[in-house]
Amino acid sequence: MRKARYNGVGDEVMITFIWAEDEQHKIGLDGHLPWYIPEDLKHFKTLTINHPIIMGRKTFNSLPRILPQRRHIVLSQNQVFKEEYEHNPQVVVVSSVNSLNKWTNAHQTEQLYVIGGVSVFEALKDRVDCLEKTAIAATFPADTVMPDLNYDDFKLSKKVHHQANNKCQYSYDFLTYLRKKD
């Protein structure tokens, strides 16, 4: 049985995983997305804007820049990395999931988006409340696979299909799953 997480002021903290994967659950190649789907990037931005995004150091380093209007919470034990960003208000480096919980409580955060990598998804998979998955109807060369998630614990609440077109050669679906109540 899962216990609700609260942000210190009585509001439950919702953890959402957001990612895109191909038909074989692949999510990355050499630290980057193996595909370019502009609508998926727009979808990611729409959902995560004005919310903290949680990631590992390698995922942070793969970003083209610090993403505007989002606090970057980076799980890393690398002291040099932590020192590099200690004066940047858009980047918070935490060394563990326990430190992440403390940060969440201190900042009264209600919505957190986990964007990767695999070890961060793995560490939080039993605590995630919502899955925002882009399922791409294609297979790509990749070296990174999404961890197994128990979809029996979730209910599909929304599906938006996008057919291949002149802007994107792949069909894909935006899928939203919510954890079933205990």
Side-chain angles (χ1 to χ4, degrees):
M1 182 178 200
R2 290 174 56 254
K3 293 184 180 179
R5 293 165 308 283
Y6 294 92
N7 66 5
V9 293
D11 296 320
E12 189 170 342
V13 176
M14 178 175 266
I15 296 176
T16 299
F17 284 5
I18 184 167
W19 80 101
E21 68 179 34
D22 74 2
E23 293 174 323
Q24 296 180 343
H25 310 291
K26 296 175 187 171
I27 61 173
L29 176 65
D30 298 328
H32 299 285
L33 296 175
W35 49 77
Y36 176 69
I37 301 176
E39 282 301 311
D40 182 49
L41 298 174
K42 182 179 174 184
H43 180 68
F44 174 88
K45 180 179 180 179
T46 298
L47 291 176
T48 63
I49 201 121
N50 296 320
H51 296 288
I53 52 177
I54 300 167
M55 69 206 80
R57 182 180 48 80
K58 290 178 186 176
T59 298
F60 177 82
N61 288 337
S62 74
L63 298 175
R65 65 187 180 291
I66 293 175
L67 303 177
Q69 296 179 281
R70 282 157 277 200
R71 198 115 190 240
H72 297 60
I73 314 304
V74 183
L75 281 156
S76 176
Q77 295 181 353
N78 183 308
Q79 191 59 36
V80 174
F81 179 80
K82 186 172 186 168
E83 290 170 5
E84 182 179 349
Y85 288 97
E86 68 185 341
H87 299 295
N88 186 325
Q90 271 191 279
V91 179
V92 176
V93 180
V94 296
S95 59
S96 66
V97 173
N98 189 38
S99 298
L100 172 64
N101 291 338
K102 289 178 184 177
W103 183 90
T104 302
N105 290 339
H107 290 85
Q108 301 178 2
T109 301
E110 295 176 22
Q111 178 74 41
L112 300 169
Y113 283 90
V114 178
I115 69 170
V118 170
S119 62
V120 178
F121 285 133
E122 193 67 48
L124 297 172
K125 75 179 186 178
D126 293 331
R127 299 180 53 204
V128 64
D129 303 293
C130 178
L131 307 174
E132 291 287 351
K133 175 170 97 171
T134 301
I136 305 165
T139 302
F140 298 86
D143 56 16
T144 309
V145 177
M146 185 67 182
D148 288 332
L149 299 172
N150 186 357
Y151 283 91
D152 291 340
D153 292 343
F154 294 87
K155 179 181 179 180
L156 180 64
S157 68
K158 184 177 180 184
K159 177 179 179 178
V160 179
H161 179 71
H162 296 267
Q163 197 61 31
N165 59 41
N166 62 348
K167 292 182 182 179
C168 180
Q169 63 182 331
Y170 315 107
S171 293
Y172 57 94
D173 296 316
F174 293 147
L175 304 168
T176 302
Y177 295 87
L178 296 175
R179 186 176 287 279
K180 295 175 184 174
K181 302 289 182 190
D182 293 333

